[in-house]
Amino acid sequence: MIDVQDELFMREALRVARNAAGRTSPNPLVGAVIVRDGRIIAQGWHRKAGTPHAEIHALNMAGELARGATVYVTLEPCSHYGRTGPCAKALVEAGVARVVIAMTDPNPKVAGNGIKILEDAGIQVETGVLREEAVKLNEVFLKWITEKMPFVVMKTAMSLDGKIATATGQSQWITNEKSREYTHLLRDTYDGIMVGINTAIKDNPSLTTRLKDRPGKHPVRIVVDSKGRLPLDSKLVTDGAAKTIVAVSGLANTGTVQALESAGVEVIVAGDERVDLRELMLRLAQKDICSVLVEGGGQLNYSLLEQGLVDKVYAFIAPKLIGGRDALTPVEGEGFAELSRAVSLTDVETELIAGDILITAKVIK
């Protein structure tokens, strides 16, 4: 039977975990709440990889009051020595009486061992409280740790009739200012941002994060550029605002690659004639780029969808009708000839943003 109080305190642990959204990669988001006599006495969240975990922050705040208390934590306490010590042992040493866990950790280094340490010490353990919410909180980490691939998010901004630009190529601005602000929140959340070479040349974007109320985190900028055509005077090469990775194929000129590297750009060669997107994603994951926000054009979007590499979609729809047989759309390429092959979405959520519509959904695989 569901304990309403357990859900209440776990919801608070999930809330505080989100304080570090976009900051903990490659670690998960974790929140912890310590409760004594029915009230919260301490809380903590993991802030950044290599720093103390959520449980340690909460235990430090609680001090001796942690003895005999109940701890609510969104992910199974770690059991191994990494850049920090094992949280499960810290909970045992603090003398807590009960630990409520939203979900077990799929990391093979933990995977039930943290729970075992707690139970072997005589601590009562409950699992599965608000598990679905905890899974959603750490969708990025779960993909990266289990599949060794980044969580890929496709973001599009279009008119009501599905155009991302006019027939003459004008695209600024289809959506409103509030939707564009939301886009910068997404950039602040994900590790990398990816565009195709046509977008990089046409728009000469900076792909940085600009927030009104606080400094933003700039994602690693990734350009899919099979032939190595990115101009050396483009912002992505010269502005120094964030790291830039250019993915090329074997067709890229050696001199061009060397020039990009001399300018401080990291070049990844993946594929013979075109960039092998799956190989590129694997290479990015190995660099602890656990999530990628794709703001590319229709061809890159189609290629990623066709290869099953997209996990989530953010589609901003403006109340405008553009028309035009030749006007660009969010997904182009060859398309899917049969409806049975079309990419289907689930967990669909809609939100109104100052008149624009935002549809968020997960890709069914």
Side-chain angles (χ1 to χ4, degrees), residues 39-50:
R39 67 183 185 88
I40 296 174
I41 60 169
Q43 60 186 28
W45 60 92
H46 182 44
R47 288 161 167 75
K48 183 180 178 181

Side-chain angles (χ1 to χ4, degrees), residues 209-221:
T209 300
R210 297 179 294 281
L211 302 178
K212 284 188 173 182
D213 58 342
R214 57 187 170 87
K217 180 204 71 177
H218 300 318
V220 175
R221 305 174 298 190

Side-chain angles (χ1 to χ4, degrees), residues 259-336:
L260 285 169
E261 291 177 332
S262 296
V265 173
E266 180 178 350
V267 178
I268 295 177
V269 181
D272 297 325
E273 297 182 358
R274 297 183 62 184
V275 171
D276 184 324
L277 293 172
R278 184 170 294 277
E279 181 183 346
L280 171 60
M281 292 299 179
L282 285 167
R283 300 272 291 277
L284 294 175
Q286 291 167 3
K287 296 177 180 294
D288 288 349
I289 297 175
C290 302
S291 57
V292 175
L293 175 66
V294 181
E295 292 192 21
Q299 180 58 55
L300 178 59
N301 288 343
Y302 170 72
S303 297
L304 291 165
L305 288 166
E306 194 273 334
Q307 294 183 45
L309 295 173
V310 179
D311 298 289
K312 192 172 187 176
V313 174
Y314 285 88
F316 294 86
I317 304 173
K320 297 175 182 176
L321 298 170
I322 293 176
R325 184 181 295 106
D326 299 323
L328 299 176
T329 63
V331 182
E332 295 181 342
E334 295 180 6
F336 300 100

